[in-house]
Amino acid sequence: MIVPHDGYWLPTATSTIAYVVDDPFWLIYWVCTVTFVLITVPTLGFAWGYRERAPGQKALSQNDHSRLLELSWSVLPLVFFFWTFVVGFRGFLEMFVTPAGATEVQVTAQKWSWSITYEHQGQPVVVGGVGADFKFPKGKKFKLVMHSVDVVHSFFVPNFRIKSDVIPGRYTTLWFEATKAGVYPLLCAEYCGQDHSNMLARIVITETEDEWRAWLAEEADPSKKEGYVPAEHGKQLYESRCASCHSTTGEQGPGTRFAGPSLKGLWGKTEQTDKGAVVIDDEHLRESIWQPQEKIVVGYGRTMPVFQGQLTPVQVDALIAFIKSLDAPPGAP
Ligand code: CUA
């Protein structure tokens, strides 16, 4: 997936609360730089100027301390550190207390992708998967209510300067208001297993709210898009949702990087499961996507996440169409 690259220093700040991170960062950066110079330059100067000029020479001054100097280098940093604490704490409150009037969306993290549940005409619209585009309009406040279905992840949008752990069994929140239309990377900033580094998506900020609403309406029912082909939509869904565990090449099981059965030649095949033999048809695929724990193919673990509520019936139909479009095994009905 292509994420915009924005230099090696702080990326361009594009949210209204970015200053709560940037201001203390630059304050501390400059205080450290100036202090470093103020300490090292005189130290080097004194070391050279008062060096031992003859063997066994005594120091010119025998003063061993200065109360004024010691008090000032103790009290001034103390005042500075208290001040940075106050600045940091106020920024923390600003970042984690959502202002009134923010539009709420739900963020779900799972190994290894993000999904966001929006609301469109009273109905939930789930957008997600590896490399997904999550759109939001500029100049509107959003509250993110976040949870994880498996392990600890961390929601991080560097351009917005927002980051928070996303934890199973607990809700955490963040909020933002984007100030500039554009495409910004969304990263997972907590090591969460094999595909942690691929847990990427994009936050796309639209110029207007209308543009965003039109996109939302389209996401709510992709089958209404012009030129909609179920198997093509299914292929996109496969790439973002399934490809990290299921191959389309026949590669599967131990010794490969695929934790689940390959989708190649799957439709119409007879599989041995923990509940007996099943013929893989539309109904079995639907169940295996929405409720994968119902029947486990012999030789595989219970590792697949539940996609009920994550994928709509239209999306499941598209995935089934895609699976059917792959080669059938020899001797299939
Ligand atoms: Cu999710 Cu790292």
Side-chain angles (χ1 to χ4, degrees), residues 53-284:
R53 285 161 205 269
Q57 183 195 9
K58 280 197 165 175
L60 296 175
S61 162
Q62 296 298 317
N63 285 343
D64 55 12
H65 71 275
S66 157
R67 180 160 295 147
L68 179 67
L69 206 54
E70 284 167 24
L71 276 176
S72 54
W73 76 42
S74 303
V75 174
L76 289 178
L78 190 68
V79 171
F80 172 71
F81 288 135
F82 269 117
W83 184 45
T84 53
F85 170 75
V86 171
V87 170
F89 188 66
R90 285 171 61 149
F92 175 83
L93 291 180
E94 186 115 8
M95 189 180 288
F96 286 96
V97 180
T98 308
T103 304
E104 206 173 292
V105 297
Q106 278 80 41
V107 174
T108 307
Q110 68 179 47
K111 294 190 285 184
W112 289 275
S113 66
W114 298 101
S115 39
I116 294 186
T117 309
Y118 297 86
E119 202 196 279
H120 174 67
Q121 295 173 345
Q123 293 297 314
V125 179
V126 186
V127 179
V130 174
D133 280 348
F134 299 116
K135 293 200 183 182
F136 296 93
K138 186 178 100 175
K140 189 173 163 71
K141 292 182 179 66
F142 284 90
K143 179 182 188 179
L144 308 167
V145 179
M146 311 190 290
H147 85 286
S148 165
V149 300
D150 39 46
V151 300
V152 179
H153 302 270
S154 179
F155 187 96
F156 182 31
V157 184
N159 292 89
F160 294 173
R161 311 288 193 265
I162 56 171
K163 183 201 251 179
S164 169
D165 275 5
V166 180
I167 300 166
R170 191 194 295 181
Y171 289 99
T172 50
T173 66
L174 280 173
W175 75 274
F176 69 88
E177 178 184 339
T179 54
K180 194 165 171 263
V183 181
Y184 308 111
L186 160 61
L187 316 172
C188 177
E190 182 71 54
Y191 180 67
C192 54
Q194 182 184 300
D195 278 3
H196 158 73
S197 56
N198 282 329
M199 198 167 159
L200 299 164
R202 307 195 299 178
I203 303 284
V204 179
I205 300 301
T206 63
E207 194 64 50
T208 64
E209 202 172 325
D210 286 348
E211 223 175 301
W212 171 66
R213 286 196 188 283
W215 169 80
L216 205 52
E218 220 169 61
E219 288 298 321
D221 189 354
S223 66
K224 292 205 178 108
K225 272 185 218 174
E226 219 172 296
Y228 174 76
V229 178
E232 274 173 21
H233 184 57
K235 185 165 194 279
Q236 289 169 4
L237 288 169
Y238 162 77
E239 277 158 7
S240 65
R241 296 302 192 109
C242 326
S244 60
C245 295
H246 298 277
S247 80
T248 54
T249 58
E251 258 189 286
Q252 57 185 25
T256 72
R257 61 177 201 86
F258 300 102
S262 174
L263 303 184
K264 188 187 180 180
L266 194 61
W267 202 83
K269 196 172 164 187
T270 303
E271 230 23 310
Q272 293 301 322
T273 74
D274 58 346
K275 300 211 174 118
V278 290
V279 175
I280 297 177
D281 56 7
D282 289 17
E283 188 42 41
H284 178 72

Side-chain angles (χ1 to χ4, degrees), residues 45-60:
F46 289 142
W48 181 252
Y50 295 99
R51 68 189 184 281
E52 190 186 50
R53 285 161 205 269
Q57 183 195 9
K58 280 197 165 175
L60 296 175

Side-chain angles (χ1 to χ4, degrees), residues 7-57:
Y8 293 97
W9 205 231
L10 290 179
T12 317
T14 53
S15 85
T16 54
I17 55 160
Y19 79 95
V20 309
V21 171
D22 290 10
D23 289 0
F25 174 83
W26 288 116
L27 174 77
I28 292 167
Y29 174 86
W30 283 113
V31 166
C32 290
T33 305
V34 170
T35 311
F36 174 77
V37 172
L38 284 182
I39 291 171
T40 44
V41 170
T43 301
L44 294 172
F46 289 142
W48 181 252
Y50 295 99
R51 68 189 184 281
E52 190 186 50
R53 285 161 205 269
Q57 183 195 9

